Amino acid sequence: MKRYVVKPRVVKPRVKRRAAKPRSIKRAAAAAVALCCLIGGTTAATAGSQAPTPGSAGMGDSYFPQYGNGGYDVGHYDVRNRVELDTGRLVGVTAFRAVAGQSLSRFNVDLVLPVRAVSVNGHRAAFSRTNRHEVQIRPRTPIADDASFVVRVAYAGRPGAISWGGERPWQASRREVVAMGEPQMAAWWFAANDHPRDKAVLDVRITVERGLQAISNGKLKAITRGTRWTVWHWRADEPMAPYLAFFAAGRYTIERGRTADGLPWLNAVSKELDPYSRTESTALMRQTPRVIAWLEGWLGPYPFSTTGGLTTSLDAGFALENQTRPTYPSVGGRESTWLVVHELAHQWFGDRVSVDNWRDIWLNEGPATYLETLWSGNGGEATPQAWLLSTWESIPANSDFWKLKIGDPGPGRLFDGPIYDRGAMTMQALRHRIGDTDFKALLRAWVRGPANGSTADFTALAESVSGEDLDAFFDAWLFTGSRPARTADNGLA
Ligand SMILES: [Zn+2]
């Protein structure tokens, strides 16, 4: 994610747009925690027990205890939604295939929309709500440990009217909707196990009024036109964290092509934008192949089978690294390529390798901001190290900037400035400390590693690749609420 504050343009667009306002993530997350604490925990299953027990209501994320659910792992989602732009209504069915990680008497899914019906393995199942976010499902017969099962949830409602934990992430007008958000979005449009640790393949079918388009992750498989409605079927072939799934519906100009390496790309730009912004956004989205080629020089092969981007007319206030197809607000033309670099860098750091817990967020934003800095010419300095030293010097030791421990920032501060900037500085300091060769080897090993990674995993890999003891280094940069001393050990001399 990258917040984007609209700056005055040199060339005035014909239609004046409102300035983007940052979302109140801090307040929302704090409220989410408060709500969790009021509700209290659900009894976790007893490990090794033969008797069926309830799956836990959360995945065990220390910042967001209700995110995700315990007791099963989803392999595939089949999401079929109809979206009515004029009423803001969404009617749909999510069917997902999962494997039980324990013998389950019941389990939860994350969904804020009102539920109409639930079935498990084709049999109607009882369900209830423990709160706005959690749907508790009790199958007719318990599910055996390690068994594969299919859950079907039907729902209908107006996502834009629903807030949970103080957050209302739905973005829509009467002419366009885009489901983009972090850390939460999935539960507003499909029944999910909504934590980055449960990745799955998705088929998404969005039904819109004839004449409109619907865009999602992955590849466009089919467009089925009826008399009133059109169904757009998208398939994401590589497993994805639920928050990285998106769809947008409205009127778009769609462009397709292939990169020099043969990677298919598909870009979409909202026709609701004024002509100037459409031209600029189209030019910006077309930078995608060039940016991917540059990033591959650092990180190795692009990790997915398709790419592209979408520019919405909605005033999102941020861009997001939705897997295979990031979503952007209207931010101008080629001069904003740094934002494309940021979101595409996340395809490796964030999407291919996702946080293990939301506490690890700097592992997404630090590398993405660092690569954005390199692309942008080291902030005007001659070398990346000169950029690091001048940035270090320019932020006084008593600045609040240094107070945030970015390795454990707290749930209300996931997207605070230091997560990005101190995170990027950490990457350059590490590069200076272990040398270019080991640094590049570390990045490449990390992005080819497991689907999720924690800060502890990253620091262990850095030590293994470099053969150095980096405990004090990472402690100074990630877990100390003060400015790292200007020492060689800290990569600053
Ligand atoms: Zn980001």
Side-chain angles (χ1 to χ4, degrees):
M1 171 187 283
K2 185 84 178 182
R3 286 195 193 140
Y4 186 84
V5 180
V6 174
K7 297 172 188 130
R9 291 207 183 104
V10 179
V11 183
K12 282 281 177 201
R14 277 183 231 166
V15 177
K16 204 174 173 187
R17 289 175 46 72
R18 286 186 296 128
K21 54 182 183 300
R23 300 187 313 152
S24 181
I25 291 165
K26 182 177 175 177
R27 183 178 50 78
V33 170
L35 185 62
C36 297
C37 300
L38 285 173
I39 289 153
T42 305
T43 312
T46 312
S49 164
Q50 295 298 310
T53 50
S56 61
M59 192 75 96
D61 192 290
S62 58
Y63 285 3
F64 304 108
Q66 301 264 310
Y67 286 14
N69 306 282
Y72 65 95
D73 187 88
V74 179
H76 177 255
Y77 290 98
D78 182 331
V79 181
R80 300 178 189 221
N81 288 344
R82 191 181 79 227
V83 181
E84 300 168 2
L85 290 182
D86 51 347
T87 63
R89 225 171 119 75
L90 187 153
V91 181
V93 176
T94 297
F96 67 79
R97 183 170 38 75
V99 173
Q102 67 184 65
S103 179
L104 283 168
S105 58
R106 60 173 164 80
F107 58 90
N108 281 24
V109 300
D110 302 323
L111 179 67
V112 302
L113 290 166
V115 175
R116 290 173 151 182
V118 177
S119 73
V120 176
N121 290 333
H123 299 291
R124 186 170 281 269
F127 65 92
S128 59
R129 274 202 182 276
T130 52
N131 63 55
R132 174 59 94 177
H133 186 256
E134 300 289 316
V135 182
Q136 196 177 83
I137 297 172
R138 185 179 289 277
R140 189 188 288 182
T141 53
I143 296 162
D145 185 13
D146 211 30
S148 176
F149 61 106
V150 175
V151 180
R152 192 173 174 279
V153 181
Y155 42 85
R158 291 174 55 234
I162 299 172
S163 62
W164 181 72
E167 194 165 357
R168 195 191 293 259
W170 198 249
Q171 314 225 24
S173 69
R174 292 175 72 87
R175 301 183 69 83
E176 190 183 5
V177 57
V178 56
M180 58 187 279
E182 183 185 9
Q184 291 209 84
M185 187 72 256
W188 272 256
W189 65 285
F190 66 101
N193 193 22
D194 189 11
H195 192 277
R197 252 182 274 144
D198 191 355
K199 298 188 177 187
V201 171
L202 276 92
D203 276 279
V204 174
R205 290 174 179 83
I206 303 292
T207 300
V208 289
E209 258 183 79
R210 196 183 160 100
L212 301 182
Q213 288 88 39
I215 316 292
S216 185
N217 313 78
K219 291 170 182 158
L220 179 58
K221 300 302 284 186
I223 304 170
T224 309
R225 292 191 170 86
T227 50
R228 273 193 65 202
W229 302 93
T230 304
V231 183
W232 291 70
H233 176 193
W234 296 82
R235 182 176 168 90
D237 286 317
E238 296 91 11
M240 184 187 320
Y243 84 92
L244 294 169
F246 89 101
F247 82 88
R251 298 189 311 134
Y252 300 91
T253 302
I254 295 173
E255 281 192 344
R256 308 166 78 152
R258 283 184 183 270
T259 68
D261 291 339
L263 179 71
W265 57 262
L266 184 148
N267 295 335
V269 173
S270 172
K271 289 182 177 173
E272 304 304 327
L273 291 164
D274 63 88
Y276 173 85
S277 298
R278 281 165 63 181
T279 303
E280 291 285 273
S281 297
T282 300
L284 182 61
M285 297 296 93
R286 285 179 185 163
Q287 301 308 305
T288 297
R290 184 163 75 99
V291 169
I292 284 181
W294 182 81
L295 286 167
E296 284 182 327
W298 272 98
L299 304 173
Y302 175 75
F304 306 120
S305 57
T306 183
T307 188
L310 176 135
T311 303
T312 174
S313 70
L314 298 171
D315 201 0
F318 62 95
L320 191 64
E321 60 267 25
N322 301 98
Q323 189 159 310
T324 68
R325 190 158 295 113
T327 48
Y328 304 87
S330 171
V331 297
R334 291 182 57 154
E335 75 283 0
S336 298
T337 302
W338 58 270
L339 188 59
V340 177
V341 173
H342 183 100
E343 302 309 337
L344 290 176
H346 276 311
Q347 302 301 307
W348 286 264
F349 282 95
D351 296 8
R352 167 60 191 82
V353 181
S354 303
V355 294
D356 197 43
N357 282 284
W358 282 106
R359 179 178 61 221
D360 305 314
I361 187 68
W362 85 274
L363 279 170
N364 289 7
E365 302 304 346
T369 306
Y370 180 61
L371 287 157
E372 171 199 325
T373 303
L374 297 183
W375 169 277
S376 305
N378 313 317
E381 300 289 340
T383 64
Q385 187 64 10
W387 163 80
L388 170 62
L389 294 175
S390 74
T391 307
W392 182 92
E393 259 172 31
S394 70
I395 306 171
N398 62 0
S399 166
D400 283 348
F401 176 90
W402 298 111
K403 289 185 180 147
L404 189 67
K405 300 170 186 174
I406 62 170
D408 192 6
R413 307 190 67 176
L414 291 187
F415 303 108
D416 279 20
I419 302 291
Y420 295 76
D421 297 326
R422 188 169 175 170
M425 294 168 78
T426 302
M427 297 306 284
Q428 173 54 34
L430 179 62
R431 179 180 175 182
H432 191 68
R433 171 74 199 267
I434 67 177
D436 277 6
T437 305
D438 283 353
F439 181 71
K440 205 163 181 175
L442 166 64
L443 297 188
R444 289 186 174 223
W446 180 255
V447 299
R448 279 197 302 269
N452 295 85
S454 67
T455 298
D457 295 332
F458 184 79
T459 58
L461 185 65
E463 291 192 330
S464 146
V465 168
S466 67
E468 293 189 40
D469 179 351
L470 297 168
D471 286 353
F473 172 89
F474 283 116
D475 198 50
W477 279 102
L478 303 178
F479 297 107
T480 304
S482 59
R483 189 166 74 168
R486 191 161 181 170
T487 64
D489 278 357
N490 287 340
L492 287 165

